Amino acid sequence: MLRSIILSMLALLFLAASAKKIEKFQDTSLSDEERIDNLLSLLTLEEKINLFSTNLGVPRLGIPDCGHFEGLHGLQIGGPANTYSQPTTVHSQAYGLGETWDVDLIERIGELTADEMRWYFSQDSLPHNLVMRAPNADLARDPRWGRTEESFGEDPFLTAAMTVAKVKGMQGNNPRYWKAAALMKHFLANSNEFGRDSTSSNFSERLFHEYYSYPFMKGITEGGSRAFMAAYNRWNGIPMAVHPVYDEVVRPDWDMDGIICTDGGAMGMLFTAHHYVDSLPAAAAEVVKAGLGQFLDRYKEPLTIAINTGLVTEADLDKALRGNLKVALKLGLLDPDITATPYYVAKDAPAPWQQDYAKSLAREATAKSVVLLKNKPMDGNPLLPLKVDGIKKIGLIGEHVNEVIQDWYGGEPAYTVTILDAFRQRFEPLGIEVMTVPDNRMSEAERIAREADIVFVVSGNHPYGTKPDWFFCPVPSDGREAVDRRSLNLPNEDMIRQIYKANPNTVLVLQSSFPYTINWSQENLPAILHFTHCSQETGNGLVDIITGDVNPSGRLTQTWVKDITDLPDMMDYDITNGRTYMYFEGEPLYPFGYGLSYSDFSYDKADIKRKSVKNDAMDEVLTIDVTLSNNSERDGEEVIQVYASYPESKDSLRPKKQLRAFKKVKLGAGEQKTVPVEVKVKDLSKWDEDNHNWTVEKGKVDFHIGSSSSNLPLTVSATVK
């Protein structure tokens, strides 16, 4: 008996001695700050320098490697800008996802993208990354911006709502851990590509808060993001890589305590392009002292020199690195066993991108992103949805109808359904011939048009300009990263005119990453659709709309002007000088929020439950009951849009109207529904530059309700006292 007791005690002592030592930073019972303090105390100077890369790992301490992947419209581990070749679920470009006006959908896409990131994190063959460079919270203030494709749109309220939804989807709802870290891009006001490495975006403190930073602020304060990338440009003369706004506003006011990283090469640009410092070590030192904890740059040698010459101290390093470690903690990387954290995915788990859910989500999102711009009745009936009775031949014309092209941050889908694939799969079993040519060389497109009962012309941009040169797109109306658009004309509109002359039943499918000035097409063609590139379900999503299997519900997120001369100077960042629907004085080709449906919706009445509110009641909510009818025989979705105006305000800079609420609503055929739409009082506030805070003006507020910024048949009012 005694012998067995002794043996048991020896065994316990052996197990205790052989158990892995748990450092304080791995002790989940301690506070976040205690864990981070301990980890900083254990790191060597070399390890601290290494942590300024995009890798959060510290091998000596058992912290696994973890870096960044792109994720604007699906996880990117393949595609034009990546050396890896791994499949993921690829959705429509962010510009198209914005056009869904569907925050629930965006959140589900964020969830799936993070699921795929976690799945790949558990595999051995790839870098282990859980920081996702998404969403893009930049605002598309000008359609000439080459990266318009990456933005949800021009409006800060809508873009903020989409940003919050994407962040919540990616990070999950666990109170302690994140599924993935959402690193928003690009702070701040980076919407010109030419000269982006050295130009200054100049605007007021008020526009900083009300417009340019608003989606970032909401992404942090409401979405929970604790990471973003600093932009290349300057704001009011100071490069964003070293701007004092991080310590003056972002950290203290928004409680931002995570990663701030430079954009690629931005540290070096402080010296070579901005001429803001006199050396690369000085550039590295200034970035660290501004509190940025990650370089996307060749930084180690300059930073080491900066340390050795006293330009920056180890205490400065510690301060800048705290945000990196906070994110690592939230991802479970500092726990003793990451496999025990709630979002860990087993190595043998099925790949999310192989599941039917992923495929159906991509198809749903693609269809919901399609905007019906025109649907003129022909012989008393709209041309769309397509009525196949009597149709024997369909013409499908377009250079890219038989491919799905990825943009510069597009991934590598496991499969693609091209427009041609979907047309053939849907119509050929019905005995309908699908005839196709890429363009009108030797008048082939006109010949097909004459033979066909209906023609679909797919036209638009190439999403990365075929990349003959990083700083050049061969077509002036094309644009992408590093290249702004020099034209808004649709290059193929002459061909479309020829096709229309041959067959008036011509539908323009505008597949583009940004707006065009399609004045002739709008005036003459019977039907026009807009959607974007990249989705693996491109063809199916489009054909679902054309056939009426899905009723179009996409809405524009940018003002489409009639002429490029309607736009202010490209480098004028003061949007009050005529930018966006809030300040534009002209007549747009298509207004912000615009989009048609196969259903006929009417806005019957609106009631506001409270007629007054105190101006300091920031946390209160006004509810507007909107009665909406579907006066058709087809189920559909409408986007109720609520815009505020301030008729008694003496502030000349207040927008003439601004989106303050929206809701996407399903209505059955013939159904009438009263829908409550909430407006937060704090969303009626403006930035007071004298007191440096948000304030709600006293006076009357009109709420205009309708289907776009230019179609607002209902108005209700409240008074702020």
Side-chain angles (χ1 to χ4, degrees), residues 43 45-59 63-68 128-129 131 133 183 228-229 258-263 267 287-288 292-301 303 317 320-325 327-328 333:
L43 294 172
L45 179 59
E46 182 182 5
E47 287 169 336
K48 290 177 182 179
I49 293 172
N50 288 339
L51 278 171
F52 278 92
S53 72
T54 57
N55 187 356
L56 298 171
V58 184
I63 301 172
D65 290 340
C66 181
H68 296 192
H128 291 175
N129 297 343
V131 178
R133 294 176 190 162
L183 187 145
F228 64 75
M229 180 184 292
I259 293 172
I260 303 178
C261 72
T262 72
D263 205 337
M267 180 206 78
V287 170
V288 171
L292 277 67
Q294 290 190 339
F295 292 92
L296 274 66
D297 216 320
R298 296 182 178 89
Y299 73 93
K300 288 187 178 180
E301 182 179 351
L303 181 57
L317 304 185
L321 286 175
R322 292 192 74 88
N324 299 14
L325 303 183
V327 171
L333 303 175

Side-chain angles (χ1 to χ4, degrees), residues 464-654:
Y464 63 95
T466 68
K467 202 179 178 293
D469 184 293
W470 179 241
F471 296 103
F472 175 72
C473 281
V475 180
S477 59
D478 277 1
R480 55 169 166 76
E481 182 172 358
V483 182
D484 287 319
R485 305 170 71 201
R486 292 149 288 160
S487 168
L488 300 184
N489 293 329
L490 182 63
N492 282 341
E493 201 158 34
D494 273 350
M495 181 187 76
I496 296 167
R497 292 170 61 190
Q498 294 171 298
I499 293 168
Y500 173 73
K501 182 179 179 181
N503 187 335
N505 290 332
T506 295
V507 178
L508 170 59
V509 178
L510 188 60
Q511 186 178 22
S512 69
S513 309
F514 26 63
Y516 285 91
T517 51
I518 51 171
N519 297 288
W520 182 91
S521 294
Q522 170 59 26
E523 183 177 347
N524 293 278
L525 297 181
I528 305 173
L529 298 161
H530 175 260
F531 78 139
T532 59
H533 295 279
C534 299
S535 169
Q536 63 192 43
E537 288 283 349
T538 288
N540 282 334
L542 176 63
V543 171
D544 285 345
I545 293 291
I546 288 171
T547 60
D549 288 354
V550 176
N551 197 337
S553 64
R555 303 292 183 264
L556 297 181
T557 64
Q558 198 170 22
T559 302
W560 289 39
V561 297
K562 291 183 177 180
D563 194 278
I564 197 169
T565 60
D566 293 339
L567 297 169
D569 184 279
M570 182 67 176
M571 293 308 298
D572 183 359
Y573 272 78
D574 183 349
I575 65 165
T576 66
N577 290 331
R579 278 193 203 283
T580 78
Y581 74 94
M582 293 184 287
Y583 298 100
F584 182 60
E585 296 294 340
E587 181 70 26
L589 177 63
Y590 303 115
F592 174 84
Y594 173 80
L596 303 176
S597 170
Y598 297 149
S599 299
D600 174 25
F601 297 107
S602 64
Y603 286 77
D604 302 329
K605 66 176 182 177
D607 293 302
I608 189 165
K609 292 184 176 178
R610 293 181 59 189
K611 299 291 186 181
S612 65
V613 66
K614 292 182 179 180
N615 72 326
D616 60 353
M618 287 282 200
D619 294 330
E620 294 193 30
V621 174
L622 297 172
T623 301
I624 301 172
D625 289 330
V626 181
T627 301
L628 187 70
S629 294
N630 181 353
N631 306 306
S632 72
E633 298 179 354
R634 183 181 293 271
D635 297 348
E637 284 188 288
E638 172 66 323
V639 181
I640 299 172
Q641 301 170 40
V642 179
Y643 295 81
S645 66
Y646 312 91
E648 297 176 356
S649 175
K650 293 181 172 55
D651 184 347
S652 62
L653 296 182
R654 295 225 80 172

Side-chain angles (χ1 to χ4, degrees), residues 641-678:
Q641 301 170 40
V642 179
Y643 295 81
S645 66
Y646 312 91
E648 297 176 356
S649 175
K650 293 181 172 55
D651 184 347
S652 62
L653 296 182
R654 295 225 80 172
K656 57 183 179 179
K657 55 190 165 188
Q658 57 183 163
L659 184 71
R660 297 292 89 180
F662 66 92
K663 182 176 283 190
K664 197 160 193 174
V665 181
K666 294 181 180 179
L667 267 77
E671 182 182 5
Q672 184 183 74
K673 184 182 292 186
T674 298
V675 182
V677 182
E678 294 185 342

